[in-house]
Amino acid sequence: MAPDEAKSEPAAEPAAEPTAEISKKGAKKAEAKAKKEAEKARRKAEREAAEAAKNEDAAAQDAAKDDYGEVDDKLPPMTGEKINIRSLGKEHVGKVIVVRAWIQNARAQSANMTFIELREEGDWTIQALVVANKEQGTPSRPMVKWVVGIKPESFVVVEAKVQEPLEPVKSCRIADYELSIQKCYVIAAAPNVLGMTLAASNRAITNFSDEEPVKKDSEIPDASSTTTSAIPAATMLTHLDNIVIHKRAPVQQAIADIRAEMKELFRSYLRSHGFKEFEPPCLIGAASEGGANVFSLPYFDKQAFLAQSPQFYKQIEIAGGRKRVYSIGPVFRAENSNTPRHMTEFTGLDMEMEIQEDYSEVLLMLEGVLLHMFRGIKERCPREIEVVRSVYPFEELQLPEAGKEVRLSFAEGQKLLREEGPPEFRDVSDDEDMSTPQEKALGEIIRNKFHTDFYVLDQFPEGARPFYTKADKTTKTSRGFDFFLRGQEILSGGQRINNADELEQRIRHKGIDPRSPGIKEYVDVFRQAGVPPHGGGGIGLDRVVAWYLGLPSVHLVSYYPRTPKRLQP
Amino acid sequence: MAPDEAKSEPAAEPAAEPTAEISKKGAKKAEAKAKKEAEKARRKAEREAAEAAKNEDAAAQDAAKDDYGEVDDKLPPMTGEKINIRSLGKEHVGKVIVVRAWIQNARAQSANMTFIELREEGDWTIQALVVANKEQGTPSRPMVKWVVGIKPESFVVVEAKVQEPLEPVKSCRIADYELSIQKCYVIAAAPNVLGMTLAASNRAITNFSDEEPVKKDSEIPDASSTTTSAIPAATMLTHLDNIVIHKRAPVQQAIADIRAEMKELFRSYLRSHGFKEFEPPCLIGAASEGGANVFSLPYFDKQAFLAQSPQFYKQIEIAGGRKRVYSIGPVFRAENSNTPRHMTEFTGLDMEMEIQEDYSEVLLMLEGVLLHMFRGIKERCPREIEVVRSVYPFEELQLPEAGKEVRLSFAEGQKLLREEGPPEFRDVSDDEDMSTPQEKALGEIIRNKFHTDFYVLDQFPEGARPFYTKADKTTKTSRGFDFFLRGQEILSGGQRINNADELEQRIRHKGIDPRSPGIKEYVDVFRQAGVPPHGGGGIGLDRVVAWYLGLPSVHLVSYYPRTPKRLQP
């Protein structure tokens, strides 16, 4: 507000203009109030004008006044080379550069000097300082003072000279250079108080409850696990309520990078093996695959459902003449499970392929792509993995040597459990599906015996597989398999039935009516034309990334986790 | 059925065992009927046994009997090299190979010779023949006869010798080689009558109505447009009811390939420019962006909505410290529009990026990625484009030379319309959004004037843009732009407001309550921390592919089109 304006309109409050509707008594009261407020406003305006005059005076004396401040849209001209912090090198020393970054923190050393930490994408941090320069007049002492007041997580542009610090700056990722700031503009200011500090957001989360948080023992920071143990850990709910700061945490940036690269590794491997991408629909006309846990919604004059998997559509692609297909997309489960393993929306990595001779072709292709992902991610994201490990310590994943992959039949797995597992699994049967504790116990045994955290369990009992799984007459089992990572299932796959009559028989055998909505249309696909033998598998991306990194919850690897209680942000 | 069994159980019909519940009269009648049927069954069994004996005899004499037939699961051993039709070369001539393919058609030349056409993925077709060989006994005449009876679109495995035909086979894509079949097994048989023939499915669709088809003039095949004009065109509904054959049509295979490559070109260009992929949610907690045309569904004890765009989430990513992001995924519109331009579920290609100096950075990046897609697809899919063109003729897309891209302001566009457009557009205003006919007319003018089908219209009036678009004080317009392809909008983008107060003001100005559900959470994102200036855009993949290929409907480029009336398959 300019001083002049403040003086000419001292009482702009609505109460100063009482209307006819107000009763006499009310009007008198209002008038008195208006007078009082007008007087108050006048005094305030005078104070402000005086303050402004003083500031103007100070600004006039501040030779640096154009070199700092908040800017709205257009920046004052800057001459330095625009550069990302990460690309700083010896060749920049002594040169002036322009950097756009977040203020991570600011600390006054004296009236003449302020230290700040600047951060770009991920955890690219660098130390910068503003030192008052009496001769040149800029940076000025007011500028030094102003900079220290910039709120953390404000976005700034600085022009600065690159210099080498006396000794490496251990607290920053860029340790060998520092910036001597000459100009500093706030482009987007952070609030006075953050909902969560960046330091807190980079601490390990231990409370993943969707209920309002209750302080538990497990939430008390574990001093041994990180270097920033003085900062208390926040709950997942606090993180989600402060999604911006949550995402800025280096650990979340690293997880997001790892997730994106895992996807890319899946995609590029399959592409290089002749797979073509396709997009299955999310909206479907019938609750297929059993119908439990499916979201339904009004769809004009009909009912629609959200797809639980692209299973049927992958198979239609094969029937429709595609030899090998993959899809990456959202799938939905209306399951009221409030655990760190569950979400209502997650990302499926799916593939399906023609079988030439034997369904082991499918198994080996899936094993190949997962090993490619696990080995590739170590090459592509070594630093990101270390950033995650520094917050969520985990044991290095053990992978089998090439040629020594572990592939057991379900019966062999059960035998191991009976013979080498804990006493409660002494009587597990070859005909019944495994429970989660059994899976974990078997994972332990296999890790000790074969030194791998990744293995395949094949030939599941027919009863444990969906109706579309092909049975094997020789082994009297299904041609279905699961893959495990750290003792937890990450993939389910197998050969599918490719003949309508056989499929219908199998559906009936499972107690489902083959003429029911969704099922009928599915079976009929195999009546439209001859469909070659085929098989495939589905991978839960969220779980693969979470278990690979040994994280306590899949909610940490989802960009926007959806749970029965949470749809925000 | 074996002859012995047929003899020993001549009357297994249930009517032969009348129960006590049947009345006397009824019982007598039933007895008579049972006798009659038993006699009938006996005679039938005798006939069958005689036939079987004859066949067995014939089979015994057929030296080729193990070289053909229907097989269930395991194939008889074959020694030839397994090969895809597409990789056939001179080096294979005279050699025996094994091919898995669909029977496209079969035609008997004589009792000693049958011609068949085999097809693999897409339109890789090759001629094959079965010639009876009296000396060797295989192929036999029964085999020649059996092969001609294989139903089109059955899936077969053949072992055959590669040979050079007397003259190139014009009807097949592989013209220089043919296969002399020695063994032929049907792995998956097609039905006796297909719901739609492959030839019909490869004809141009002209009827895209979702209502039950009524024969119209436009459906009568246009003899000039394709070479297979003798085959009548089917409606889109017939295609969807026969999705397997629909997808096997070479034109649909080509469209699917082009679509997948378009996506890949988008992805690889952005990746190479430092963009990182992320996944926005489909399930959201509030109907953001206005709330019209949004699907809603019961979500446990709450209500959920299906995202209409990843707009807010792209911006949260930028706020959350990602410099450049992109996403590829489904978006939903509950719009009751039954036109070839509309679908209720389609694929969005979205990107968002930090702005360093000016929002033209965003515009140029988007222009760059689209030109990369249009130029790249010609290089990657020249044949697929020709396959589409052979069914749906279209004019080659005109693209601007590098450095001569057409970027007009909205006002310049309107001026062109006023000055060079049809009379009805003589008074179009600079402050009102364009109608679809105006867009088309402007596309015409620009095509004639600048020889390009692709151009940018920038600086839209504020009133024509959503509330999150940044206004430009200098031009008094918004910083929003649209991209056009063949006179139709394919992209909408611009700079976004990155300050909570400005955003709130803008929302109010648009008549929306900034505290309403979904909007409040969105605005609050910009209060969590300083958010740098940013902008982005969204591309409708379905439309880009459809308009690029000049197709009459986006339904042709969707893998499983969803319309208000159609959720199947």
Side-chain angles (χ1 to χ4, degrees):
Chain A
M1 209 194 280
D4 276 358
E5 284 176 53
K7 268 174 207 157
S8 61
E9 290 190 74
E13 264 79 40
E17 298 181 68
T19 66
E21 276 95 334
I22 297 172
S23 74
K24 263 194 176 170
K25 200 176 168 186
K28 258 194 180 168
K29 220 176 169 181
E31 211 179 324
K33 198 181 167 198
K35 266 191 189 164
K36 210 172 156 187
E37 291 201 354
E39 174 60 21
K40 210 170 136 191
R42 196 185 55 77
R43 273 195 222 136
K44 191 179 163 212
E46 275 180 7
R47 267 202 317 276
E48 280 174 359
E51 183 75 18
K54 202 175 128 196
N55 284 349
E56 239 173 36
D57 216 38
Q61 288 162 15
D62 185 0
K65 72 181 184 332
D66 294 332
D67 296 342
Y68 66 97
E70 272 200 47
V71 294
D72 174 25
D73 197 27
K74 283 283 167 201
L75 280 171
M78 279 175 283
T79 50
E81 186 195 349
K82 279 158 221 128
I83 195 170
N84 290 329
I85 292 171
R86 67 169 71 198
S87 20
L88 269 179
K90 259 222 158 346
E91 68 277 20
H92 296 106
V93 175
K95 300 222 171 102
V96 171
I97 61 163
V98 174
V99 163
R100 304 167 67 87
W102 279 281
I103 292 266
Q104 183 145 309
N105 59 55
R107 168 172 67 81
Q109 180 80 356
S110 70
N112 288 316
M113 187 171 174
T114 287
F115 279 102
I116 60 177
E117 238 172 74
L118 293 172
R119 189 188 75 249
E120 239 181 40
E121 207 181 15
D123 65 342
W124 289 96
T125 48
I126 189 165
Q127 173 170 280
L129 51 163
V130 196
V131 186
N133 186 324
K134 265 207 168 160
E135 289 94 76
Q136 295 182 3
T138 180
S140 62
R141 282 175 71 150
M143 178 171 167
V144 169
K145 194 181 166 195
W146 179 83
V147 167
V148 85
I150 303 176
K151 304 300 167 207
E153 298 308 312
S154 296
F155 192 72
V156 299
V157 179
V158 302
E159 190 172 65
K161 200 169 174 181
V162 182
Q163 57 193 36
E164 284 169 308
L166 295 178
E167 48 190 87
V169 184
K170 283 184 193 151
S171 58
C172 290
R173 181 158 173 190
I174 305 282
D176 298 333
Y177 310 105
E178 63 178 13
L179 302 178
S180 175
I181 290 179
Q182 294 164 353
K183 296 178 182 176
C184 179
Y185 304 100
V186 168
I187 293 190
N192 288 336
V193 180
L194 292 170
M196 173 170 66
T197 64
L198 190 88
S201 91
N202 204 41
R203 290 267 298 148
I205 302 171
T206 54
N207 182 341
F208 291 93
S209 169
D210 265 337
E211 312 286 352
E212 278 308 301
V214 181
K215 197 84 180 172
K216 284 186 212 143
D217 278 358
S218 60
E219 261 185 86
I220 295 166
D222 173 4
S224 67
S225 69
T226 76
T227 50
T228 52
S229 57
I231 300 133
T235 66
M236 189 68 192
L237 273 185
T238 302
H239 275 256
L240 293 175
D241 285 340
N242 294 279
I243 189 82
V244 172
I245 302 295
H246 168 67
K247 283 183 176 286
R248 288 188 189 180
V251 64
Q252 283 305 132
Q253 295 270 328
I255 291 172
D257 287 344
I258 291 166
R259 181 188 175 106
E261 283 309 306
M262 280 278 202
K263 258 175 96 166
E264 182 58 26
L265 286 161
F266 175 81
R267 192 153 46 209
S268 56
Y269 185 88
L270 290 184
R271 263 180 77 89
S272 73
H273 284 81
F275 284 76
K276 290 178 171 178
E277 192 169 3
F278 86 105
E279 295 152 60
C282 292
L283 292 169
I284 56 175
S288 48
E289 291 199 60
N293 299 334
V294 58
F295 287 110
S296 77
L297 64 149
Y299 186 86
F300 305 99
D301 55 348
K302 285 191 279 292
Q303 197 73 6
F305 303 87
L306 295 183
Q308 292 177 292
S309 93
Q311 182 62 34
F312 292 0
Y313 293 93
K314 291 194 293 182
Q315 295 192 255
I316 295 178
E317 291 298 314
I318 299 292
R322 308 297 267 181
K323 281 184 136 23
R324 297 177 159 195
V325 293
Y326 72 94
S327 69
I328 300 177
V331 283
F332 307 89
R333 300 276 159 90
E335 199 180 344
N336 200 352
S337 297
N338 297 281
T339 86
R341 292 167 59 96
H342 289 89
M343 292 191 293
T344 55
E345 176 178 351
F346 55 94
T347 301
L349 307 178
D350 275 89
M351 66 82 110
E352 199 77 19
M353 61 188 272
E354 258 185 48
I355 293 172
Q356 306 272 327
E357 311 258 307
D358 189 272
Y359 79 104
S360 61
E361 296 158 19
V362 181
L363 190 154
L364 295 177
M365 184 65 71
L366 284 164
E367 190 186 72
V369 70
L370 277 164
L371 286 171
H372 178 73
M373 288 160 75
F374 298 148
R375 293 194 177 116
I377 204 71
K378 264 187 85 169
E379 273 169 40
R380 292 196 188 184
C381 301
R383 179 169 167 100
E384 287 78 3
I385 291 171
E386 285 319 305
V387 169
V388 175
R389 198 198 300 273
S390 73
V391 178
Y392 295 99
F394 65 89
E395 275 186 64
E396 190 69 23
L397 193 77
Q398 291 195 43
L399 291 176
E401 279 174 55
K404 296 198 172 171
E405 294 82 5
V406 176
R407 300 165 200 138
L408 301 177
S409 73
F410 184 85
E412 287 168 335
Q414 294 294 73
K415 187 160 176 272
L416 275 180
L417 260 185
R418 281 193 297 266
E419 291 176 358
E420 302 179 32
E424 63 266 37
F425 301 141
R426 213 150 275 168
D427 300 315
V428 293
S429 139
D430 292 357
D431 301 323
E432 268 167 50
D433 203 0
M434 276 191 189
S435 65
T436 306
Q438 280 173 44
E439 287 175 5
K440 292 222 171 184
L442 185 57
E444 274 289 309
I445 298 171
I446 286 172
R447 185 175 220 267
N448 292 332
K449 217 175 170 77
F450 301 105
H451 312 293
T452 176
D453 286 308
F454 172 67
Y455 74 97
V456 176
L457 214 53
D458 190 14
Q459 300 174 16
F460 268 65
E462 281 192 68
R465 307 307 284 194
F467 60 74
Y468 47 74
T469 309
K470 180 100 177 159
D472 195 302
K473 286 171 195 159
T474 316
T475 61
K476 308 273 181 208
T477 67
S478 77
R479 291 187 184 163
F481 46 76
D482 279 1
F483 286 14
F484 293 86
L485 189 67
R486 299 192 197 266
Q488 304 192 76
E489 189 234 302
I490 51 162
L491 175 146
S492 204
Q495 182 171 351
R496 331 298 189 180
I497 297 170
N498 61 320
N499 173 286
D501 294 336
E502 187 182 338
L503 189 54
E504 210 170 88
Q505 199 184 353
R506 195 79 207 134
I507 289 169
R508 254 195 215 99
H509 184 77
K510 287 266 181 187
I512 305 167
D513 179 2
R515 302 283 89 191
S516 57
I519 304 292
K520 181 188 175 304
E521 290 80 359
Y522 171 61
V523 174
D524 284 349
V525 160
F526 300 90
R527 293 221 164 83
Q528 288 184 23
V531 178
H534 61 281
I539 302 171
L541 174 62
D542 304 84
R543 289 189 179 183
V544 164
V545 178
W547 304 164
Y548 176 87
L549 295 171
L551 292 173
S553 171
V554 292
H555 302 173
L556 286 170
V557 307
S558 169
Y559 295 94
Y560 300 93
R562 264 52 186 136
T563 65
K565 296 206 161 57
R566 185 102 196 172
L567 279 170
Q568 292 281 2
Chain B
M1 210 194 280
D4 276 359
E5 283 176 53
K7 268 174 207 156
S8 62
E9 291 190 74
E13 265 79 42
E17 298 183 66
T19 66
E21 276 94 335
I22 298 172
S23 74
K24 263 196 176 171
K25 202 177 167 187
K28 257 196 181 170
K29 218 176 170 181
E31 212 179 322
K33 197 181 167 200
K35 264 191 188 166
K36 209 172 159 187
E37 292 202 353
E39 174 60 21
K40 209 167 135 194
R42 198 187 53 81
R43 275 195 221 138
K44 192 180 163 212
E46 276 180 4
R47 269 202 314 277
E48 281 174 358
E51 183 74 18
K54 202 172 128 194
N55 284 349
E56 238 174 35
D57 216 38
Q61 286 163 16
D62 184 359
K65 72 179 187 327
D66 292 334
D67 294 343
Y68 66 97
E70 271 200 47
V71 293
D72 174 26
D73 196 28
K74 281 286 166 199
L75 279 170
M78 279 175 283
T79 50
E81 186 195 350
K82 278 154 221 131
I83 195 171
N84 289 329
I85 292 172
R86 67 170 69 200
S87 21
L88 268 178
K90 258 220 160 343
E91 69 277 18
H92 296 107
V93 175
K95 300 221 170 106
V96 171
I97 62 162
V98 174
V99 163
R100 304 166 68 88
W102 279 282
I103 292 266
Q104 183 146 307
N105 60 53
R107 170 173 65 82
Q109 179 80 354
S110 71
N112 288 316
M113 189 170 173
T114 287
F115 278 101
I116 60 178
E117 239 173 74
L118 293 172
R119 188 188 76 250
E120 238 183 41
E121 205 182 17
D123 64 343
W124 289 95
T125 47
I126 190 166
Q127 174 170 277
L129 51 163
V130 197
V131 186
N133 186 323
K134 265 208 168 163
E135 289 95 76
Q136 294 182 5
T138 180
S140 62
R141 283 174 71 150
M143 179 172 168
V144 169
K145 195 181 164 195
W146 179 84
V147 167
V148 85
I150 303 176
K151 304 300 167 208
E153 299 308 315
S154 296
F155 191 73
V156 299
V157 179
V158 302
E159 191 172 64
K161 202 172 176 177
V162 181
Q163 56 194 38
E164 283 168 307
L166 294 176
E167 48 190 87
V169 185
K170 282 184 191 150
S171 58
C172 289
R173 181 159 176 189
I174 304 284
D176 298 334
Y177 309 105
E178 64 178 15
L179 302 178
S180 174
I181 289 180
Q182 295 166 352
K183 296 179 182 175
C184 179
Y185 305 100
V186 168
I187 293 190
N192 288 336
V193 180
L194 292 170
M196 173 170 66
T197 64
L198 191 87
S201 90
N202 204 40
R203 293 266 298 147
I205 303 171
T206 54
N207 182 340
F208 291 94
S209 168
D210 265 336
E211 312 286 349
E212 276 310 299
V214 182
K215 197 86 179 170
K216 282 187 212 142
D217 280 358
S218 62
E219 261 185 85
I220 295 166
D222 174 4
S224 66
S225 70
T226 76
T227 52
T228 52
S229 58
I231 299 134
T235 65
M236 189 68 192
L237 272 186
T238 302
H239 275 257
L240 293 175
D241 285 340
N242 294 279
I243 188 83
V244 172
I245 303 295
H246 169 66
K247 284 185 176 282
R248 287 189 190 181
V251 64
Q252 284 305 133
Q253 295 272 326
I255 291 172
D257 287 344
I258 291 166
R259 180 187 176 106
E261 283 309 307
M262 282 277 201
K263 260 176 93 164
E264 182 58 25
L265 286 160
F266 175 81
R267 193 154 44 209
S268 56
Y269 185 88
L270 291 185
R271 263 180 76 89
S272 73
H273 284 79
F275 284 76
K276 289 178 170 176
E277 192 170 4
F278 86 103
E279 295 152 60
C282 293
L283 292 169
I284 56 176
S288 48
E289 291 200 61
N293 298 333
V294 57
F295 287 111
S296 77
L297 64 149
Y299 186 88
F300 306 98
D301 55 348
K302 285 190 279 291
Q303 196 74 4
F305 303 86
L306 296 182
Q308 291 177 292
S309 93
Q311 182 62 35
F312 292 0
Y313 293 93
K314 291 195 290 183
Q315 295 191 255
I316 295 178
E317 291 298 315
I318 299 292
R322 308 298 266 181
K323 282 183 133 29
R324 297 176 158 194
V325 292
Y326 73 94
S327 69
I328 300 177
V331 283
F332 307 89
R333 300 276 159 91
E335 199 180 346
N336 200 353
S337 296
N338 297 281
T339 87
R341 293 166 58 94
H342 288 89
M343 291 190 293
T344 54
E345 177 177 350
F346 55 95
T347 301
L349 307 179
D350 276 89
M351 66 82 112
E352 199 77 21
M353 61 189 271
E354 256 185 50
I355 293 172
Q356 306 271 325
E357 311 257 306
D358 189 90
Y359 79 104
S360 61
E361 296 158 19
V362 181
L363 191 154
L364 295 177
M365 184 64 71
L366 283 163
E367 191 186 71
V369 70
L370 277 164
L371 286 171
H372 177 74
M373 287 160 74
F374 298 148
R375 293 194 176 116
I377 203 70
K378 265 186 84 168
E379 274 169 41
R380 293 197 187 182
C381 301
R383 177 169 169 100
E384 287 78 4
I385 290 171
E386 285 319 306
V387 169
V388 175
R389 199 197 300 274
S390 72
V391 178
Y392 295 99
F394 65 88
E395 277 186 64
E396 190 68 25
L397 192 78
Q398 291 195 43
L399 290 177
E401 279 174 55
K404 294 196 172 172
E405 295 81 7
V406 176
R407 300 166 201 138
L408 302 176
S409 72
F410 184 85
E412 286 167 337
Q414 294 294 72
K415 187 160 175 273
L416 274 179
L417 260 184
R418 280 192 299 266
E419 291 176 358
E420 302 179 33
E424 64 266 35
F425 300 141
R426 213 150 274 167
D427 300 314
V428 291
S429 138
D430 293 358
D431 301 323
E432 269 169 47
D433 204 359
M434 277 190 186
S435 65
T436 306
Q438 281 173 43
E439 286 176 3
K440 291 221 170 185
L442 184 58
E444 273 291 307
I445 299 171
I446 286 172
R447 186 176 220 266
N448 292 331
K449 219 177 169 78
F450 302 103
H451 312 293
T452 176
D453 287 308
F454 172 68
Y455 74 96
V456 176
L457 213 54
D458 190 14
Q459 299 174 17
F460 268 66
E462 280 191 71
R465 307 307 284 195
F467 60 74
Y468 47 75
T469 309
K470 180 99 179 161
D472 195 303
K473 284 171 196 157
T474 317
T475 62
K476 308 271 181 210
T477 68
S478 78
R479 292 188 182 163
F481 46 76
D482 279 1
F483 286 13
F484 293 87
L485 189 68
R486 299 192 198 267
Q488 303 192 74
E489 189 233 302
I490 51 163
L491 175 146
S492 206
Q495 181 170 352
R496 331 298 190 181
I497 297 170
N498 62 319
N499 173 286
D501 295 336
E502 188 182 337
L503 188 55
E504 209 170 86
Q505 199 185 353
R506 195 78 209 135
I507 289 168
R508 255 195 213 98
H509 183 78
K510 288 267 181 186
I512 306 167
D513 179 2
R515 302 284 89 191
S516 57
I519 304 294
K520 182 189 174 303
E521 290 80 359
Y522 171 60
V523 175
D524 284 349
V525 160
F526 300 90
R527 292 218 165 87
Q528 288 184 24
V531 178
H534 61 282
I539 302 170
L541 173 62
D542 304 84
R543 291 189 176 183
V544 164
V545 179
W547 306 162
Y548 177 88
L549 294 170
L551 291 173
S553 172
V554 292
H555 302 173
L556 286 171
V557 307
S558 170
Y559 296 93
Y560 301 92
R562 263 53 186 138
T563 66
K565 297 206 161 54
R566 185 102 196 172
L567 279 171
Q568 293 281 1

